[in-house]
């Protein structure tokens, strides 16, 4: 009984104290005009701010109630609370800990509480820039031109845009993807400028945009970043298909992510309808030929049986793509009785022969397909099919692909729209040639023979030489280990200083282009060179 009484007395004193504090606060607020704004020099608590305690990479929710609306960060200890009026978690945290300065995590306004006035001071700009980094058009333009190191609060130097990323539990896949995507100039620049997507309601778009802007923030308090919020949004938007704790296949994540961004940004089927398609979409021309069967065999024409004409069995189709998959040759791991591990090698050009318009692929239904590229994207994503599901497990093909870092020329795989080679034209009838000329408003005056018509068309069309077909490598993802337990590393080119970096989670190191070329590449990002 005695104990119970003393406890209730204690509680009474506690609530008396609370009431008195509330009354004091109410009194001090009465002296305050609504919307009172003061400068830093007028606030006695400015030197209690501890920038090292601030981390805005995490989900913006109250550490007590988990609410995500109207959340503030304490500028003294970094904790997040919902607030800021009397009786809220911010309010009590401030009173109990004697912490007075809070920043609203959505609008970035800074308040002194419980006094209740707002502070505007240039010395707080770095905190706001860490919460919501903003960049001018000229700052965005300079990203690929100037490499200026920044200092983190812990004294370490870092290069904005080439910083380490925390691994939150088997999440190297998102780190490798982000390191590559922020290297793709137009794609990155789109997300650097909030004006491009500020009205977009997709949390996936907003979180990727925020991560991109934090990545390049020269005033970052730390030389690293946590993809926590982006991973949460990916997990939600993909119905937990990709989530923290799971080793994911980076090509599956990448393609899902790009398609989702495209949709969320309001993209349609049109080629230029989103930054995703503008950057990565190309077109492949597929020629399919069905096997002659009783049904589609040419009907006899007159008395003659014509089996040479196969035009009714051949069809052409143009398919848009965001990436191209390349099959690796099946090679034995062991050579003869040799016990030494033998890793086969194959030149990239050999893998690309799939798109030479001649190499046939035969489907189970007996359909022969050939492929060629009818439109090259500004950035080409290549995927080496290293993983294959067999009866028991996912098998990895360790074949080394040899490729040049610069000037990968895809000319021989291109069948450009509307550009005919002389050979193409020679196979056409006079009638067809005249139709082409009419469409192109070319005069056939003075053309006496078929050869004249062909010359006339060839002269008037752009030369194949004026079309850009060469690519330089800018990003390369390597999946080390098997698909269930392995980790992803990204090799990326920093354009501002021409340096290649090897990035794995928090580890960023300079590397040589030769080392990129011998890596066990899995996903590559190529940039089309302008002529
Ligand atoms: Zn605090």
């Amino acid at each position: 009984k005695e104990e119970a009484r003393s406890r209730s007395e204690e509680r009474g004193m506690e609530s008396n104290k609370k009431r008195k504090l509330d009354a004091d606060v109410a009194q001090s607020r009465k002296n305050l005009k609504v919307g009172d704004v003061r400068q830093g020099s007028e606030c006695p608590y400015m030197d209690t701010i501890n920038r090292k305690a601030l981390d805005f990479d995490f989900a913006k929710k109250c550490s007590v109630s988990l609410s995500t609306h109207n959340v503030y960060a304490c500028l003294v200890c970094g904790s997040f609370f919902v607030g800021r009026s009397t009786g809220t978690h911010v309010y009590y945290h401030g009173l109990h800990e004697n912490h007075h300065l809070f920043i609203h995590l959505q609008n970035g306004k800074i308040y002194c509480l419980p006094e209740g006035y707002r502070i505007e001071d240039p010395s707080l700009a770095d905190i706001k820039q860490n919460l919501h980094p903003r960049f001018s058009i000229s700052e965005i333009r300079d990203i690929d031109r100037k490499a200026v190191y920044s200092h983190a609060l812990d004294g370490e130097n870092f290069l904005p845009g080439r910083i380490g990323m925390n691994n939150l539990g088997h999440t190297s896949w998102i780190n490798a993807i982000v390191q590559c995507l922020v290297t793709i100039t137009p794609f990155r620049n789109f997300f650097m400028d909030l004006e491009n997507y500020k009205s977009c309601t997709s949390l996936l778009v907003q979180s990727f945009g925020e991560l991109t802007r934090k990545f390049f923030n020269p005033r970052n308090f730390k030389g690293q970043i946590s993809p926590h919020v982006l991973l949460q949004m990916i997990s939600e938007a993909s119905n937990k298909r990709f989530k923290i704790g799971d080793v994911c296949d980076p090509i599956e994540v990448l393609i899902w992510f790009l398609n989702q961004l495209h949709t969320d940004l309001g993209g349609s089927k049109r080629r230029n309808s989103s930054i995703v398609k503008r950057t990565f979409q190309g077109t492949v021309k597929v020629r399919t030929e069905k096997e002659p069967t009783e049904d589609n065999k040419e009907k006899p024409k007159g008395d003659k049986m014509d089996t040479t004409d196969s035009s009714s069995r051949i069809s052409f189709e143009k398919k848009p793509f965001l990436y191209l998959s390349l099959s690796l040759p099946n090679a034995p791991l062991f050579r003869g009785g040799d016990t030494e591990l033998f890793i086969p090698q194959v030149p990239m050009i050999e893998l690309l022969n799939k798109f030479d318009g001649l190499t046939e692929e035969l489907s189970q239904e007996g359909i022969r397909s050939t492929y060629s590229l009818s439109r090259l994207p500004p950035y080409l994503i290549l995927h080496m099919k290293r993983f294959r599901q067999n009866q028991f497990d996912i098998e990895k093909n360790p074949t080394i692909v040899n490729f040049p870092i610069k000037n990968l020329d895809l000319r021989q795989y291109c069948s450009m729209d509307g550009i005919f080679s002389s050979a193409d034209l020679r196979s056409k009838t006079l009638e067809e040639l005249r139709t082409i000329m009419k469409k192109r408003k070319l005069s056939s005056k003075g053309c006496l023979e078929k050869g004249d018509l062909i010359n006339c068309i060839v002269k008037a069309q752009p030369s194949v030489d004026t079309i850009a077909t060469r690519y330089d490598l800018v990003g390369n993802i390597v999946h080390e280990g098997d698909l269930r337990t392995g980790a992803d590393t990204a090799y990326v080119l920093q354009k501002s200083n021409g340096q290649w970096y090897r990035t794995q989670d928090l580890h960023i190191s300079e590397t040589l282009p030769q080392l990129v070329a011998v890596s066990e590449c899995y996903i590559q990002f190529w940039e089309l060179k302008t002529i």
Side-chain angles (χ1 to χ4, degrees):
K1 260 188 188 170
E2 194 67 10
E3 240 176 59
R5 196 189 304 143
S6 89
R7 263 210 302 272
S8 92
E9 265 172 23
E10 234 169 64
R11 267 205 299 275
M13 274 166 65
E14 186 75 11
S15 70
N16 273 345
K17 212 163 114 193
K18 225 175 214 177
R19 262 200 296 278
K20 189 175 176 311
L21 279 169
D22 288 351
D24 286 351
V25 169
Q27 188 55 43
S28 76
R29 281 194 175 173
K30 260 184 200 163
N31 304 332
L32 204 74
K33 279 184 239 115
V34 179
D36 194 4
V37 180
R38 296 186 188 175
Q39 290 182 342
S41 56
E42 297 173 279
C43 174
Y45 305 110
M46 287 293 276
D47 60 355
T48 63
I49 294 175
N50 179 11
R51 285 170 170 76
K52 282 186 182 168
L54 303 181
D55 189 337
F56 301 125
D57 289 353
F58 289 91
K60 295 174 177 62
K61 61 183 174 195
C62 175
S63 57
V64 183
S65 69
L66 305 184
S67 164
T68 53
H69 286 289
N70 205 24
V71 181
Y72 291 77
C74 173
L75 294 184
V76 184
C77 68
S79 308
F80 293 177
F81 298 103
V82 85
R84 67 182 195 280
S85 51
T86 312
T88 58
H89 293 299
V90 162
Y91 176 83
Y92 285 120
H93 172 75
L95 289 184
H96 289 148
E97 306 293 331
N98 202 21
H99 294 170
H100 290 267
L101 298 177
F102 295 86
I103 185 167
H104 191 275
L105 291 176
Q106 259 76 46
N107 63 26
K109 288 180 178 167
I110 293 172
Y111 293 90
C112 181
L113 299 171
E115 289 78 356
Y117 54 85
R118 188 155 74 78
I119 305 171
E120 260 184 26
D121 200 277
S123 70
L124 300 174
D126 62 332
I127 296 177
K128 294 186 178 189
Q129 177 75 0
N130 263 266
L131 177 62
H132 297 304
R134 297 292 289 262
F135 298 85
S136 68
I137 298 293
S138 69
E139 282 170 326
I140 294 172
R141 210 184 303 128
D142 280 346
I143 289 174
D144 283 343
R145 297 179 186 167
K146 295 178 187 165
V148 183
Y149 279 83
S150 291
H151 302 287
L153 291 179
D154 62 7
E156 291 285 318
N157 282 344
F158 69 91
L159 189 58
R162 205 84 292 154
I163 57 179
M165 297 177 73
N166 293 98
N167 188 322
L168 304 170
H170 298 298
T171 55
S172 63
W173 41 273
I174 192 66
N175 296 349
I177 289 171
V178 167
Q179 291 280 5
C180 287
L181 288 180
V182 298
T183 305
I184 311 289
T185 306
F187 189 77
R188 186 257 333 276
N189 287 358
F190 177 89
F191 287 97
M192 287 298 290
D193 187 358
L194 185 60
E195 290 301 311
N196 288 327
Y197 54 95
K198 68 176 179 193
S199 56
C200 177
T201 54
S202 158
L203 296 174
L204 191 73
V205 169
Q206 292 299 341
S207 59
F208 179 65
E210 189 170 301
L211 187 77
T212 307
R213 286 179 283 121
K214 284 181 173 177
F215 225 82
F216 289 87
N217 181 11
R219 302 174 83 174
N220 214 328
F221 291 152
K222 50 199 172 67
Q224 63 197 56
I225 197 166
S226 168
H228 190 263
V229 178
L230 177 64
L231 276 165
Q232 248 178 355
M233 296 311 154
I234 288 178
S235 171
E236 271 171 39
S238 71
N239 283 325
K240 299 222 159 78
R241 186 173 154 206
F242 311 115
K243 61 178 193 294
I244 295 173
D246 286 357
V247 177
C248 298
D249 185 344
I251 190 68
E252 280 183 28
V253 181
L254 175 67
I255 299 311
W256 173 86
F257 186 58
L258 291 178
N259 277 313
Q260 196 65 40
L261 286 180
H262 168 73
T263 310
D264 288 3
L265 285 165
S268 65
K269 282 189 172 170
R270 282 185 305 112
R271 199 174 75 201
N272 288 326
S273 61
S274 80
I275 185 65
V276 175
K277 290 206 168 185
R278 281 199 293 280
T279 311
F280 297 111
Q281 184 173 293
T283 317
V284 62
K285 192 160 117 186
V286 188
R287 175 189 184 275
T288 49
E289 184 175 349
K290 288 186 189 133
E291 283 288 281
T293 60
E294 282 312 309
D295 295 336
N296 65 19
K297 221 174 227 172
E298 290 300 309
K299 298 276 180 297
K301 283 177 186 167
D303 295 330
K304 216 167 48 181
M305 184 83 155
D306 185 359
T307 49
T308 53
D309 183 2
S310 55
S311 59
S312 67
R313 292 187 279 111
I314 294 174
S315 59
F316 290 93
E317 196 186 353
K318 279 184 189 162
K319 288 184 176 170
F321 66 85
L322 282 183
Y323 73 112
L324 296 176
S325 261
L326 304 177
S327 302
L328 297 175
N330 286 328
L333 267 182
F334 296 94
R335 185 167 39 183
D338 203 344
T339 49
E340 218 173 288
L341 197 62
F342 164 71
I343 301 175
Q345 301 201 12
V346 62
M348 172 77 84
I349 289 297
E350 208 168 285
L351 303 180
L352 284 165
N353 279 344
K354 175 180 174 183
F355 299 100
D356 63 5
L358 300 167
T359 306
E360 285 187 339
E361 221 177 61
L362 184 62
S363 78
Q364 284 174 338
E365 293 80 33
I367 298 170
R368 289 172 195 282
S369 308
T370 59
Y371 305 89
S372 55
L373 304 173
S374 58
R375 189 181 166 273
L376 295 175
Y379 287 82
L380 176 69
I381 302 176
L382 292 182
H383 161 231
M384 319 297 144
K385 286 189 193 163
R386 287 204 180 275
F387 297 100
R388 205 181 56 168
Q389 179 79 49
N390 67 19
Q391 238 177 319
F392 310 102
D393 206 356
I394 297 171
E395 214 173 85
K396 184 176 185 179
N397 186 329
T399 301
I400 290 172
V401 180
N402 300 124
F403 55 89
I405 294 277
K406 284 174 178 287
N407 289 317
L408 177 72
D409 196 352
L410 299 189
R411 176 147 307 177
Q412 55 179 312
Y413 310 112
C414 293
S415 61
M416 291 299 180
D417 283 349
I419 297 182
F420 299 106
S421 67
S422 303
D424 283 341
L425 293 170
R426 271 196 295 277
S427 68
K428 295 192 183 299
T429 64
L430 276 173
E431 205 58 46
E432 285 168 332
L433 291 175
R434 289 216 174 86
T435 314
I436 293 170
M437 292 190 69
K438 207 183 258 176
K439 271 190 198 160
R440 297 187 177 183
K441 298 193 172 86
L442 298 173
S443 159
S444 56
K445 223 177 181 180
C447 294
L448 300 173
E449 290 172 25
K450 191 174 176 180
D452 298 333
L453 292 173
I454 292 172
N455 281 341
C456 184
I457 293 172
V458 169
K459 259 188 214 159
Q461 72 186 4
S463 153
V464 183
D465 297 335
T466 62
I467 296 165
T469 56
R470 288 172 189 271
Y471 282 90
D472 284 350
L473 189 71
V474 291
N476 187 48
I477 294 178
V478 174
H479 187 88
E480 284 159 1
D482 65 45
L483 202 51
R484 293 200 201 289
T485 56
D488 297 294
T489 300
Y491 292 86
V492 277
L493 175 67
Q494 180 83 11
K495 281 194 194 158
S496 55
N497 59 6
Q499 175 69 50
W500 277 92
Y501 290 87
R502 181 183 188 275
T503 73
Q504 191 181 39
D505 299 333
L506 288 171
H507 307 287
I508 310 288
S509 53
E510 292 185 358
T511 189
L512 296 168
Q514 302 90 289
L515 295 177
V516 181
V518 295
S519 64
E520 204 181 67
C521 59
Y522 184 43
I523 305 171
Q524 295 186 325
F525 298 81
W526 295 85
E527 182 181 70
L528 187 62
K529 296 173 82 165
T530 46
I531 289 181

